[in-house]
Amino acid sequence: LVNRSLPLERFAVAGGQVTVCVGNNPVLAKAEASRLLARATFGPKSAEIDNASQIGYSAWIDQQFAKPQTYHLPNVTAHLATLPADQQTGQAGFNWSIWKNFSTADDQLRMRVAFALSEIFVISNNSNIAFSYPRGPAQYLDNLGTHAFGNFRNLIEMVTYSPMMGLYLSHLRNQKENPTTGSVPDENYAREVMQLFTIGLYELFPDGTQQRDALNRPIETYTNSDVSALARVFTGLSWGGPDTTDNRFLGRTADPNREIIPMIAYNQYHSTAQKQFLGVTIPASTTATVNTNNEVRTALDRLFNHSNAAPFFSKQLIQKLVTANPTPAYVGRVSAVFANNGNGVRGDMKAIIKAILTDPEALQARGGFDQFGKLREPVVRFVQWMRAFNARSNDGKFLLGTTLDTSTQLAQSPMYSPSVFNFFRPGYIPGNSKVGAFGLVNPEAQITNETTVAGYLNFMRGAIGNGVGTSTGGVRDIQPDYAAELALASTPDAL
């Protein structure tokens, strides 16, 4: 039996009966508020726990939806302006901005969801992007934040036209087939936009469980011919700019903002062949009638409306925010909201996020070992420490670089995934483990081993005592504030 207090709007006693009318947002126990914030932010802070406990789940989420977005690109641009023109390269300014905004930004729900999306729609600074395009990754993460509260259809279009994604998955400057030389379009993005971004490998029921054929085999979602046809759709996209000349397509003419503006269509490089994929046929065209953008829109509409899109994406976002092993019923409820937000709109990200965070399965308090919960990934654990103890930067910029080292750091750093598959796969099952024995997945355990556990402890031991980041005069730039705790050190019960 749980005792909960409720905000009273009217309390009347008449004829010996008691009538109680309450608001729509019951007061939360602080433990419940803390649990919500642990999932929906980079870590709860005392004042935020108090606020959430007073206004309730739904109102807190709506409050977060209404907060203005905090951006990374202005921080990066300001840093680059301090450097000589020939040294304005690399990702130092972006790394600093990540730690600053993740730990201090007021729009925490947007920050947290954008980070989750960056682990689904992966680009990585462990690639040719990092050195030459110092603003591009910041703009990409900002765009993920913008579309985090928008619509999934617009999100996948932004991802598709992003020059950073175009570089990373090689559909920037992707050209039509050439029968004379035998060259064919690059198939990289065509494959990953299906496998990883929208519909997955196997046909799903709305609750995320796999469909099976008569022989109990999973049914493949697409074939190699679908990949080849989609690859032809994604030809003719390249750098943005004021014209569509060959030199701009090939990168010989460069707009100064090409790394932060969407790619544009160059119809002369787009395949005119017929394209058949996922039950859709785009007729053959001529060089005079080809329309790259229309064909891309047709392809993205098909992926967006595919029956797999709702359960495939919904389950991944649940795994990122709440639990590694959501029940089919949980996935099904969120998938239904993806399909229809209650007002006939498909892909409403706000509705999807709210459904994930307020689902009965998410709100149910659990104790002991069962199928609920998730291993908190190192970056989130670390930023939670920064937020819990109000870490501040002496410089104001949060001068901390990457944290990738496995033996002395976190074995993870935002936007530095080793591959398009992120640091860990959503279906990873650790071997020789209790989790594995129960047939459960534990994605974050893929980067959890003897070395990384020791590395994390080494890193945090230094951080807790000495702070983190660049040292100036022997003092590290990012310092926690333990004043409130130290004041209670002589009264253990109060502490």
Side-chain angles (χ1 to χ4, degrees):
L1 185 65
V2 179
N3 182 26
R4 299 184 182 181
S5 56
L6 303 175
L8 299 182
E9 291 185 351
R10 186 171 71 254
F11 183 86
V13 179
Q17 294 181 332
V18 177
T19 302
V20 179
C21 297
V22 301
N24 293 324
N25 288 296
V27 170
L28 302 178
K30 288 192 175 183
E32 293 177 278
S34 179
R35 187 182 304 115
L36 168 67
L37 297 176
R39 296 164 177 168
T41 74
F42 276 101
K45 303 176 77 169
S46 294
E48 294 167 358
I49 291 172
D50 291 340
N51 174 48
S53 68
Q54 291 164 9
I55 66 176
Y57 292 104
S58 184
W60 181 85
I61 294 170
D62 289 340
Q63 190 181 76
Q64 283 289 309
F65 286 155
K67 289 184 180 295
Q69 182 174 357
T70 304
Y71 294 94
H72 297 283
L73 185 59
N75 295 336
V76 173
T77 302
H79 165 67
L80 294 173
T82 67
L83 304 175
D86 62 347
Q87 296 178 28
Q88 294 182 4
T89 55
Q91 296 299 319
F94 183 36
N95 293 331
W96 300 344
S97 181
I98 284 174
W99 302 121
K100 178 179 181 178
N101 289 354
F102 281 11
S103 62
T104 66
D106 198 31
D107 55 330
Q108 275 289 301
L109 179 58
R110 188 191 298 270
M111 284 284 145
R112 184 66 186 86
V113 174
F115 177 59
L117 294 177
S118 78
E119 296 188 314
I120 298 172
F121 305 98
V122 173
I123 68 165
S124 177
N125 284 321
N126 270 335
S127 69
N128 61 348
I129 295 172
F131 188 75
S132 301
Y133 305 101
R135 293 182 297 160
Q139 177 68 25
Y140 182 75
L141 188 55
D142 283 344
N143 284 341
L144 289 178
T146 299
H147 290 283
F149 294 167
N151 189 280
F152 184 79
R153 173 61 180 80
N154 296 331
L155 170 62
I156 59 173
E157 182 161 322
M158 181 282 294
V159 168
T160 299
Y161 280 87
S162 164
M164 297 300 100
M165 181 61 75
L167 286 169
Y168 189 60
L169 289 185
S170 57
H171 65 293
L172 185 147
R173 291 193 294 257
N174 195 15
Q175 299 187 34
K176 61 187 175 183
E177 63 279 354
N178 187 326
T180 301
T181 63
S183 66
V184 295
D186 186 292
E187 297 183 349
N188 204 15
Y189 186 72
R191 179 176 293 102
E192 307 306 357
V193 73
M194 291 191 290
Q195 178 181 345
L196 300 178
F197 298 170
T198 56
I199 62 176
L201 291 172
Y202 301 109
E203 295 286 351
L204 304 173
F205 290 109
D207 65 2
T209 56
Q210 288 183 2
Q211 298 186 31
R212 299 274 172 165
D213 64 15
L215 298 176
N216 199 37
R217 298 172 302 190
I219 303 168
E220 292 186 350
T221 312
Y222 57 87
T223 66
N224 285 334
S225 62
D226 292 317
V227 174
S228 297
L230 265 184
R232 293 195 292 274
V233 171
F234 295 120
T235 53
L237 297 178
S238 191
W239 297 110
D243 57 59
T244 56
T245 61
D246 293 348
N247 280 337
R248 190 173 300 282
F249 178 88
L250 297 171
R252 296 168 184 160
T253 301
D255 187 275
N257 289 317
R258 69 177 188 174
E259 68 185 277
I260 60 172
I261 59 177
M263 293 188 291
I264 59 175
Y266 294 76
N267 290 332
Q268 68 269 35
Y269 288 97
H270 186 74
S271 171
T272 58
Q274 176 180 278
K275 305 164 186 76
Q276 292 181 313
F277 55 91
L278 302 175
V280 172
T281 299
I282 297 177
S285 57
T286 66
T287 53
T289 63
V290 66
N291 190 314
T292 304
N293 288 330
N294 279 351
E295 294 192 7
V296 171
R297 279 193 288 269
T298 297
L300 296 181
D301 285 344
R302 176 66 184 103
L303 295 172
F304 174 59
N305 289 296
H306 193 287
S307 60
N308 265 32
F312 181 75
F313 176 73
S314 297
K315 184 174 182 178
Q316 286 200 78
L317 199 54
I318 292 169
Q319 288 183 301
K320 297 294 183 191
L321 300 178
V322 178
T323 180
N325 296 277
T327 64
Y330 186 0
V331 175
R333 288 188 292 268
V334 177
S335 178
V337 172
F338 181 111
N340 185 342
N341 69 351
N343 294 305
V345 177
R346 181 178 178 85
D348 179 351
M349 291 292 292
K350 287 182 179 179
I352 294 165
I353 293 165
K354 181 172 279 192
I356 288 172
L357 294 175
T358 62
D359 187 85
E361 189 170 328
L363 302 185
Q364 180 180 349
R366 308 249 183 161
F369 177 83
D370 61 16
Q371 296 189 15
F372 199 80
K374 67 193 297 291
L375 177 62
R376 190 168 292 138
E377 58 194 285
V379 163
V380 178
R381 265 183 271 152
F382 169 57
V383 179
Q384 182 180 10
W385 166 77
M386 293 175 70
R387 286 177 54 75
F389 298 106
N390 299 307
R392 290 293 180 265
S393 165
N394 294 325
D395 182 272
K397 296 178 182 177
F398 285 72
L399 306 179
L400 177 64
T402 59
T403 50
L404 289 166
D405 191 275
T406 58
S407 60
T408 62
Q409 295 178 314
L410 303 179
Q412 185 190 25
S413 203
M415 306 288 285
Y416 276 84
S417 166
S419 77
V420 73
F421 298 99
N422 187 31
F423 284 94
F424 42 84
R425 295 181 289 104
Y428 177 74
I429 300 176
N432 302 315
S433 67
K434 191 172 184 179
V435 168
F438 277 85
L440 305 178
V441 303
N442 190 357
E444 294 82 1
Q446 194 166 3
I447 54 171
T448 306
N449 53 53
E450 292 90 340
T451 301
T452 62
V453 168
Y456 178 81
L457 292 173
N458 290 337
F459 180 76
M460 290 307 301
R461 181 180 180 182
I464 290 168
N466 304 305
V468 291
T470 302
S471 292
T472 302
V475 178
R476 295 178 181 175
D477 179 62
I478 302 171
Q479 292 291 324
D481 180 3
Y482 301 123
E485 290 74 29
L486 289 170
L488 301 174
S490 61
T491 53
D493 289 344
L495 178 60

